[in-house]
Amino acid sequence: MTTHFIKVFILVFVIAAPGFSQKKKSKAVAADSKPNILLIMADDLGFSDIGSYGSEIQTPNLDKLAQEGIRFRQFYNNSICAPTRASLLSGQYQHTAGMGYFNINLGVPAYQGFISKQTVTLAEVLKDAGYSTLLSGKWHAGDDSTSQWPRKRGFDHFYGNTGGASDYFVVKQLPKDKRSFFVKDDKAVHPGDEDNFYYTDEIAKNAIGFLKDQSTEQKPFFLYLAFTSPHWPLQALPQDIKKYEGKYDIGWDSLRILRFKRQQELNIASKDQKISIKNSDLPAWKSLTYDEQKLWARKMEIYAAQVDNLDQNIGRVIEHLKQSGKLDNTIIFFISDNGAAGEDVAHGFGGRSPRNWGPVGTSGSYDSYTKTWAYASNTPLKSFKGFQYEGGISSPFIAHFPSKIAAGGLIDGTAHLIDIAPTLYEIAGAKYPLTYKGNTIHPLAGESLLPALYGKEWSRSKPIFWERAGNKAVRKGKWKLVSVRSEQWELYDIEADRGETTNLIEQNPDIASELLALYDGWAKSVGVEDWKVIGKGKGFEPSFTP
């Protein structure tokens, strides 16, 4: 098995350590104390959407984390919101954690739609290890009742939305009971200043408020900073949109080429990397009329503004840590929950009614940039959110911890969400329980990435598996077997062809058979059900046209 050396990790976790700038030394934290942990998650952010992964969007705070930390070239998620969050929080595959499909109960334990009692969350384990546990942002790991909410799963404090999507502005055209629903410590809260409310700003504001309140406690913190940005709807502040006016008149085809070149310059993509083949149902930019081009360019301007604002708010939280003297003892991970989203919410995806009360980007609209721009956001990878091709399951991953992690590294080895929990528990010196509140707890599914993060030799010992809504895959070494809601499998050599352009299954039937046997054994062990049976008539799944 190939051995990989530490270099890049793109999930943002902050654990107090010598860092960004050392104007202040922590007065309260001893040198040998447990580190603080900051885990940052973006929502529907594409693989190439931040500067350190090839983007033209201004993300100086994330780029600084990457420059002073490390990035992974191949870090994987579960392809969509709720299952990803279940795995991140539990260290389990999503079926074991109870969220095989979504936050929807399909009637069996692996698909119950909330985190099971046979798993423990990061907050529960770290709380028992002496940490304050804080969450600001999106939960989406069980929202049918308050018994499934964050404060019942180990978090001391929570502000945010319990479900999947939320408006960024207050939509005054809607009655109050129909507006986006926010919670603070189990109580519904409504924006005080409706005219100046912007949800991404509020997530950071409440996170900083939690940190200020926590500063009086003589213990480390775990902050899960779970932004909804840049998940649809497309809604951004005018001053952020203005930065990108005219930037995307070149169209998605040219943008993809520019990002790919930049990725090769950054060594995120190798010089011989193959870029994925464009989907046949995506129009050429030049085939659009002038008015169509202007509308589509505007959508990407708004999306870019949302990513820009996300980075600004990450910067605000980091600045607070610096000013409070805690940054030097904080480890930071940054990730996205899935690849860029191809859903077309303006035309009924998910059963939503179109909202056209104002121009796109304002509170009166409810729109998305669809797979036309998602195809560019996921450069150079294939497909989108919800699918197990590389574009659906790949995330940037950044790790920053100056006293332990060498600056500017890139890691080739494959890692997955399930590896985050064992890594953090090792860093924090937390004991993972065999039982919790009378329940026998599943063993952790992943493996610690600490050797890789700390510059030691490391190679993955376990295969990685995926299944959601009949889309399935397995990755072992350089080989990946993948299927899109059928029994037709495809085999790719990801080391040579991460764009998944050449199906090698006919040339390598023995390898395909080995991987299929591994997948079948795993699927049985975690409770995967036949989607054609359990998923009949459930959900709103996007289609994929190769």
Side-chain angles (χ1 to χ4, degrees):
M1 187 175 290
T2 304
T3 297
H4 303 287
F5 294 88
I6 301 209
K7 291 191 175 179
V8 177
F9 192 61
I10 207 169
L11 167 66
V12 177
F13 263 107
V14 182
I15 302 178
F20 256 62
S21 108
Q22 299 181 328
K23 290 186 178 178
K24 289 189 179 182
K25 294 286 184 179
S26 174
K27 297 177 181 178
V29 182
D32 60 349
S33 66
K34 292 182 178 181
N36 301 305
I37 300 169
L38 174 58
L39 170 57
I40 305 172
M41 177 172 277
D43 198 347
D44 288 8
L45 182 81
F47 183 73
S48 71
D49 275 338
I50 61 176
S52 56
Y53 279 76
S55 183
E56 71 297 330
I57 300 172
Q58 297 175 34
T59 55
N61 295 294
L62 285 171
D63 296 345
K64 187 173 177 64
L65 289 175
Q67 182 182 8
E68 295 181 355
I70 59 170
R71 291 165 291 164
F72 266 77
R73 290 190 181 95
Q74 300 179 63
F75 185 86
Y76 290 118
N77 51 51
N78 288 341
S79 85
I80 199 165
C81 309
T84 278
R85 289 158 209 277
S87 287
L88 176 65
L89 288 164
S90 69
Q92 307 291 342
Y93 283 107
Q94 81 258 28
H95 306 80
T96 306
M99 300 191 75
Y101 172 60
F102 215 48
N103 61 326
I104 297 172
N105 192 340
L106 300 185
V108 295
Y111 296 81
Q112 67 185 22
F114 57 92
I115 298 177
S116 77
K117 292 182 179 180
Q118 287 70 46
T119 61
V120 283
T121 68
L122 288 169
E124 288 167 333
V125 175
L126 291 171
K127 187 172 185 176
D128 283 354
Y131 278 75
S132 298
T133 53
L134 314 168
L135 166 54
S136 188
K138 178 174 172 176
W139 173 239
H140 208 198
D143 58 347
D144 282 347
S145 72
T146 57
S147 65
Q148 302 167 8
W149 289 7
R151 299 230 305 159
K152 295 298 191 295
R153 295 313 309 246
F155 284 96
D156 296 324
H157 296 288
F158 165 60
Y159 167 79
N161 58 308
T162 58
S166 174
D167 281 295
Y168 292 86
F169 297 111
V170 175
V171 184
K172 294 183 178 180
Q173 297 95 326
L174 290 172
K176 285 192 174 182
D177 63 344
K178 300 295 184 183
R179 297 177 187 176
S180 291
F181 178 71
F182 304 108
V183 171
K184 190 164 187 177
D185 289 349
D186 296 344
K187 296 180 180 179
V189 292
H190 300 284
D193 185 355
E194 294 186 350
D195 292 331
N196 293 303
F197 179 89
Y198 188 70
Y199 188 37
T200 308
D201 293 347
E202 290 297 313
I203 290 172
K205 178 181 175 181
N206 278 272
I208 292 170
F210 289 154
L211 291 173
K212 287 180 178 178
D213 292 342
Q214 190 273 342
S215 64
T216 62
E217 302 177 14
Q218 298 301 310
K219 53 184 177 179
F221 68 77
F222 163 54
L223 171 59
Y224 176 29
L225 188 58
F227 291 99
T228 56
S229 184
H231 192 293
W232 42 261
L234 290 172
Q235 294 175 357
L237 296 168
Q239 63 268 29
D240 293 329
I241 299 173
K242 189 172 181 61
K243 299 179 188 178
Y244 298 95
E245 288 179 349
K247 190 83 173 179
Y248 298 103
D249 292 351
I250 60 172
W252 41 72
D253 297 313
S254 296
L255 180 64
R256 194 166 184 247
I257 293 170
L258 291 175
R259 287 194 176 185
F260 187 47
K261 288 180 178 178
R262 178 62 175 155
Q263 288 174 326
Q264 291 178 317
E265 292 170 0
L266 293 168
N267 205 22
I268 291 296
S270 64
K271 298 300 181 184
D272 57 355
Q273 165 79 56
K274 296 179 181 179
I275 194 168
S276 64
I277 298 169
K278 183 179 178 179
N279 294 50
S280 60
D281 60 343
L282 298 181
W285 182 257
K286 291 182 179 179
S287 71
L288 305 180
T289 66
Y290 174 81
D291 288 341
E292 288 171 335
Q293 288 183 351
K294 296 305 289 184
L295 175 59
W296 281 109
R298 186 61 171 176
K299 290 185 179 185
M300 187 61 194
E301 290 167 7
I302 297 161
Y303 179 86
Q306 289 180 261
V307 176
D308 186 307
N309 180 270
L310 166 70
D311 183 81
Q312 292 174 44
N313 279 290
I314 290 171
R316 291 182 180 114
V317 175
I318 292 172
E319 180 64 19
H320 170 77
L321 292 174
K322 183 174 71 173
Q323 294 300 323
S324 62
K326 293 187 176 181
L327 183 61
D328 288 354
N329 192 38
T330 301
I331 185 169
I332 303 175
F333 291 169
F334 171 82
I335 56 167
S336 177
D337 63 345
N338 43 253
E343 299 125 345
D344 188 351
V345 298
H347 294 90
F349 173 80
R352 290 170 176 81
S353 300
R355 185 198 297 167
N356 298 306
W357 301 330
V360 63
T362 67
S363 64
S365 71
Y366 204 93
D367 209 338
S368 59
Y369 75 162
T370 79
K371 55 189 174 184
T372 52
W373 285 114
Y375 144 80
S377 284
N378 284 334
T379 303
L381 309 176
K382 178 179 182 177
S383 192
F384 321 100
K385 168 184 174 182
F387 297 97
Q388 314 308 341
Y389 291 117
E390 293 291 285
I393 59 176
S394 297
S395 166
F397 179 59
I398 301 169
H400 180 274
F401 196 0
S403 66
K404 299 289 187 179
I405 294 174
L410 281 166
I411 297 178
D412 269 326
T414 54
H416 186 274
L417 294 161
I418 57 174
D419 303 326
I420 296 302
T423 304
L424 289 182
Y425 298 156
E426 185 173 359
I427 290 172
K431 184 178 180 181
Y432 186 76
L434 298 176
T435 61
Y436 187 80
K437 294 184 177 180
N439 298 294
T440 300
I441 300 302
H442 294 291
L444 289 166
E447 52 193 85
S448 174
L449 302 174
L450 205 59
L453 296 180
Y454 286 0
K456 299 176 183 178
E457 292 187 11
W458 172 77
S459 61
R460 184 169 202 88
S461 62
K462 301 177 183 178
I464 303 174
F465 301 94
W466 293 267
E467 190 281 333
R468 185 187 173 275
N471 297 312
K472 46 203 173 186
V474 54
R475 171 86 190 265
K476 181 183 180 185
K478 70 176 184 177
W479 294 105
K480 178 182 174 187
L481 192 69
V482 59
S483 174
V484 178
R485 284 202 290 275
S486 73
E487 297 309 313
Q488 299 297 314
W489 290 89
E490 303 163 30
L491 180 69
Y492 297 100
D493 177 351
I494 298 299
E495 287 186 3
D497 180 23
R498 199 170 179 205
E500 295 169 301
T501 64
T502 306
N503 181 6
L504 300 174
I505 197 164
E506 292 186 2
Q507 296 93 316
N508 299 277
D510 292 343
I511 293 172
S513 295
E514 176 192 355
L515 293 179
L516 181 57
L518 288 172
Y519 173 84
D520 287 342
W522 168 81
K524 184 177 180 180
S525 72
V526 299
V528 172
E529 300 278 350
D530 183 348
W531 180 249
K532 292 189 290 292
V533 177
I534 195 171
K536 189 174 182 180
K538 306 290 185 182
F540 302 87
E541 295 305 312
S543 61
F544 179 76
T545 303

